[in-house]
Amino acid sequence: MKNWMLGLSCLGLVACSDGTGNVTFTTYGEDFIEKQIPPAVGDEAGFTDGWTVRFDKFLVVLSEVTVETHDEVAAKQTQARVFDVHKPGPVVVESFKDLPAQKWDHISFAMAPVADAVAGNADAADVTLMKTEGYSVYVAGQATKDRETKRFNWGFTTNTLYEHCESPELGAGVTVPKDGEETVQLTIHGDHLFFDDLQSPDAKMRFDAIAQADRLGIAGPDGEVTLEELAAVDLTELPIDQYGTGGAANVRNLRDFVTALVRTAGHFRGEGECAPRAR
């Protein structure tokens, strides 16, 4: 009877493993961050209104990478790190050794300000910037269209936990292989910062409204779009079929809107999704 009950438990009543294995988490900004986001051509993703964006930096603070099930934690990252995902990647975030070789169905991670974060692949000056200013995400770059250029340097203090991460191909979580190693990519989607809807799966990338914020800004059209200039653009002033909030609370101006989009940048194994939770 005892042997029968043990066999039954390994069929699903409790988690059972056979040996151990390793899991390495990486992060990657894809071509849109490493190279550029071009104008849309045909069915190819890009800016509907003809702009091109190139990033100079795309800094993120990654922390709290956790491997677990509903009732057991296998491993959790203890040291937050700053990464510039504009640099060629993928780059290692954290490696966990000798985890039980089994299915762990819940992966989560955070993009949040952390006062004692250290460098991942980011330069020392950029690590200091993120810690001093309390940023979780900082982006710098330029947008061009015809003969017009607009620069941006935006820092965000958002604190977001990405939970229940799931890949369309591999499902939720990660399976630790016996005597092997699995690599899991935490993918950063830079194009999300320029979507024109917070909820619609058909959202398009646009920059015209952002460029206009500089043209009409208090300082005049000086070629740099600031977050303060975005805050001066009420969403009700924009075309009715653009910048829909889907009922999101406290999103009233273009700065609020872009800040909300920042929370959607964290993904899982490429196009996989996580549930972002503001903290």
Side-chain angles (χ1 to χ4, degrees):
M1 179 64 72
K2 289 183 179 179
N3 289 340
W4 179 81
M5 287 300 293
L6 177 60
L8 182 61
S9 69
C10 287
L11 288 174
L13 294 183
V14 297
C16 296
S17 66
D18 181 15
T20 63
N22 306 327
V23 178
T24 293
F25 287 85
T26 64
T27 191
Y28 177 45
E30 303 184 307
D31 283 352
F32 278 167
I33 294 179
E34 288 189 4
K35 298 178 181 178
Q36 67 176 19
I37 308 175
V41 177
D43 293 332
E44 295 293 324
F47 282 98
T48 299
D49 49 14
W51 289 85
T52 297
V53 163
R54 295 179 178 88
F55 292 102
D56 300 320
K57 294 182 188 294
F58 201 115
L59 306 176
V60 295
V61 182
L62 295 180
S63 62
E64 303 176 49
V65 177
T66 305
V67 180
E68 61 186 322
T69 63
H70 69 284
D71 60 357
E72 183 180 2
V73 176
K76 185 170 184 175
Q77 178 188 7
T78 58
Q79 179 63 71
R81 294 185 172 89
V82 183
F83 295 90
D84 184 353
V85 291
H86 172 60
K87 295 181 177 182
V91 61
V92 172
V93 175
E94 187 69 83
S95 292
F96 298 119
K97 306 296 184 183
D98 300 323
L99 303 187
Q102 64 181 59
K103 174 73 171 182
W104 297 91
D105 59 9
H106 186 193
I107 300 295
S108 58
F109 66 98
M111 278 198 286
V114 179
D116 62 353
V118 299
N121 71 338
D123 298 338
D126 290 332
V127 175
T128 299
L129 170 71
M130 300 299 279
K131 293 164 62 175
T132 301
E133 300 297 331
Y135 293 148
S136 57
V137 178
Y138 176 86
V139 299
Q142 63 180 21
T144 57
K145 180 181 178 181
D146 300 326
R147 296 184 179 181
E148 188 173 20
T149 297
K150 298 294 183 185
R151 292 199 56 81
F152 54 89
N153 297 273
W154 300 335
F156 302 92
T157 59
T158 47
N159 183 329
T160 309
L161 181 66
Y162 297 88
E163 303 176 291
H164 309 293
C165 297
E166 184 171 350
S167 161
E169 295 83 14
L170 300 175
V174 62
T175 298
V176 177
K178 180 183 178 182
D179 300 325
E181 179 162 346
E182 180 73 355
T183 299
V184 178
Q185 184 184 107
L186 308 178
T187 316
I188 310 301
H189 286 196
D191 54 329
H192 283 214
L193 274 65
F194 305 104
F195 281 171
D196 67 355
D197 197 286
L198 295 183
Q199 301 289 338
S200 173
D202 299 320
K204 296 177 173 57
M205 280 182 274
R206 300 181 190 274
F207 199 87
D208 275 345
I210 296 173
Q212 185 69 357
D214 174 60
R215 300 185 194 111
L216 301 178
I218 296 175
D222 59 1
E224 180 172 0
V225 186
T226 66
L227 289 175
E228 290 72 22
E229 288 172 332
L230 296 185
V233 180
D234 193 294
L235 295 183
T236 61
E237 301 171 1
L238 300 176
I240 194 169
D241 60 340
Q242 299 175 23
Y243 296 95
T245 66
N250 301 317
V251 180
R252 301 183 178 90
N253 59 59
L254 200 49
R255 176 175 181 162
D256 296 339
F257 194 92
V258 173
T259 301
L261 289 174
V262 168
R263 294 191 185 277
T264 72
H267 280 253
F268 185 68
R269 288 180 154 169
E271 296 302 319
E273 299 284 347
C274 304
R277 176 163 63 89
R279 302 186 298 185

